[in-house]
Amino acid sequence: MVDGTRTAYRTCPLCEAACGLELTVAGGVITGVRGDREHVFSRGFICPKGATFGGLSGDPDRLRRPMVRRGGEHVEVSWDEAFAAVQDGLRPIIETYGGPAVAAYLGNPNVHTMAGGLYVTPLLKALGTRNVFSASTVDQMPKHVSCGYLFGSPLAIPVPDLDRTDFLLMLGANPWESNGSLATAADFPGRLRAIQARGGRFVVVDPRRTRTAEHADEHLFIRPGTDAFLLFGIVHTLFAEGLVDLGRLMPYAQGVDDLEGLARAFAPERVSGVCDVPAGRIRGLARELAAAPTAAVYGRIGTCTVEFGTLTSWLVDVINVLTGNLDRPGGVMFPLAAHLRPNAEPGGKGFTTGRWHSRVRGLPEVKGELPVATLADEIETPGDGQVRAFLTVAGNPVLSTPNSGRLDRALAGLDFMVSVDPYLNETTRHADVILPPLDATQKGHYDFSFLALAVRNFASYSPPIFPADPGGMDECDILARLILIVSGQGASADPAVLHDAMLARAQQKSGQAEVSGDGPAERLLDVALRAGAYGLSLDDLVAAPHGVDLGPLQPRIPEVLRTPSGLIELCAPPLVAEAARLRAALDRPRPGLVLIGRRHLRSNNSWMHNVPALVKGRSRCTLQVHPADADRLSLADGQPAAVTSRAGSLSAVVEVTDRVMPGVVSLPHGWGHDRPGVRLGVAADRPGVNSNLLTDELVIDPLSGNAVLNGIPVEIKPA
Ligand code: SF4
């Protein structure tokens, strides 16, 4: 390296794939980004988003100082002024109405930071509010709930063992664009190609011919929201043709006979007319899953964001169990992250929901939170327990949650709002105070969430590349100061006191006396690693800039099971009841035109549209319409169309394409950067339209409270 140029390695924090990046750094800026070819997990893979890592940190619109709203304008202030404003705004509300008068929303990027993983839970506890909402009820809560009932813990999520499977059935997943979700797999496309190269197959079920579907051995179109019917048809076939074989799982599963009874109503001929997958192919899939040496069923966003989301997620793993593919190499397996320990023995308290209910709609709590689909109700509806103040951490619910137009209006009526966020965006424009954390290059990184979902066990820690911005504040300190404010210790209390108390508690709990690390998050990580499954330390990870490979996934049943019985409980009563509801839905009339979302490789929800390299070129925010529907509705390619649902309406440019099946239209999510008061210069030039103006907050998956974002009935006409 010349002239002070150096190379730095770090894990990309932008999506769940956890790729290793090799960064060229000169003069205090990142001058080059490429995949780290020596990284133990990603082996040089990088996507266009990771390649813009430097662009994000250099974004001139990224906030570097706190902002306070004065006279309708956001102005920069000192940190002391900002925290004093939080104290003045929040404390009177808490003292008058109590902690539940403050709602919190946690966005997806929270799980991509160490501070989010370590300090948000203590903040919510200090607030003492049950009005906790997050992106989990936008797109993934059904998987937590189904795993909670099946395995006893909502965090016991099995992932497809991509590197060893012979047959993969994917539903509602598009990893060629998303790079995977609830399955951390850097170079997901490469791992899919490798299945084919070793003589295996992968099949995609999706209402759209996605890029993943194009590369698949087979693509089956399916009516949006009907995956549960297809999957029950497969279960029916497995029983009817004597293909059920639990193998090693036999002594660890209960409810197989009950399952056979539930599946009787869902013969392939019966469900075929609902989901539009031929009965012969449903039978064929069941036979392939049963006959393959190893096989895995993997469902993602499209299977969660529907009315029967939890039932669908449950059926995915039911099939993995019935074919003997749960917890065996080449099937679906439970990762074991370096900061976690295996359980001493199977069995536990199990999983339950509804420990409390939302005030207005009476929706049950799930995993400590309420459905974000009812957030606007809680803000708008007067009475005891009304939400009067709002805290967001790394979230943009005005673009990402159902009927977001209503939420946008509701936020304008709050008494006080504070946001921990690097952007003045469509949501934080409502905030009285915005507290921006340091950029990703200025803080350490370890994936608490995604290493527990990785398709191969590994660990990596990335130290900061640059010193903190002068006048910037680390997110651990920001969250610690908020904890101190809401717990009544004042705006000027020293966050170090809280950091030390948290560390002492972690050491006491784990019995780890030794600790190293420069920052509070690093020290907590070090304690967790030392107590973890592999006995690593932070120093071990610092010494391994390309990560530490911990080997292929290992069987974890029965130890991983936390159900009261210590077994896989296949037929928990809530799911049995939901299966009856699905049976009744067999005779529902088919809806007319329905809307689904879609994903693009250069986009990640709502927050990466301000990077020029990611949004350049042809607009991707189009309404995809099948040629037959376009003809019938007199819609022309490139022309605007008016789209209306129960929740709202918008105008979008039509793209006529046979990538969507007849009767289905598709808009990407995360767009709509045209609100006043936003500081996203690049995004505002290409605002797109917000698909969540059309999604309906009144329709949810009842077991998980998850939003229904796919299969929204719409009417369309030329604009
Ligand atoms: S796939 Fe995800 S983790 Fe990998 S480079 Fe792209 S954004 Fe980063």
Side-chain angles (χ1 to χ4, degrees), residues 11-21 33 35 42 45-53 112 175 177-180 185-189 447 599 601 604 608:
T11 303
C12 176
L14 301 177
C15 90
E16 299 182 34
C19 300
L21 303 181
V33 184
S42 60
F45 178 80
I46 190 172
C47 86
K49 293 189 292 292
T52 64
F53 185 69
H112 295 267
E177 306 274 11
S178 71
N179 290 305
D187 192 14
F188 207 125
D447 278 305
R599 190 62 197 261
L601 182 59
N604 187 1
M608 296 189 72

Side-chain angles (χ1 to χ4, degrees), residues 491-561:
S492 50
D494 184 357
V497 175
L498 187 86
H499 299 322
D500 291 345
M502 286 176 61
L503 180 62
R505 237 185 340 265
Q507 286 183 288
Q508 188 190 25
K509 209 170 152 196
S510 64
Q512 297 298 316
E514 214 177 325
V515 62
S516 66
D518 291 337
E522 277 74 8
R523 288 189 282 277
L524 289 169
L525 170 61
D526 186 52
V527 170
L529 287 171
R530 287 174 194 273
Y534 309 92
L536 292 168
S537 69
L538 181 64
D539 291 341
D540 292 331
L541 299 193
V542 170
H546 310 292
V548 176
D549 181 32
L550 299 169
L553 305 184
Q554 300 295 323
R556 291 192 57 193
I557 284 178
E559 153 271 314
V560 76
L561 301 173

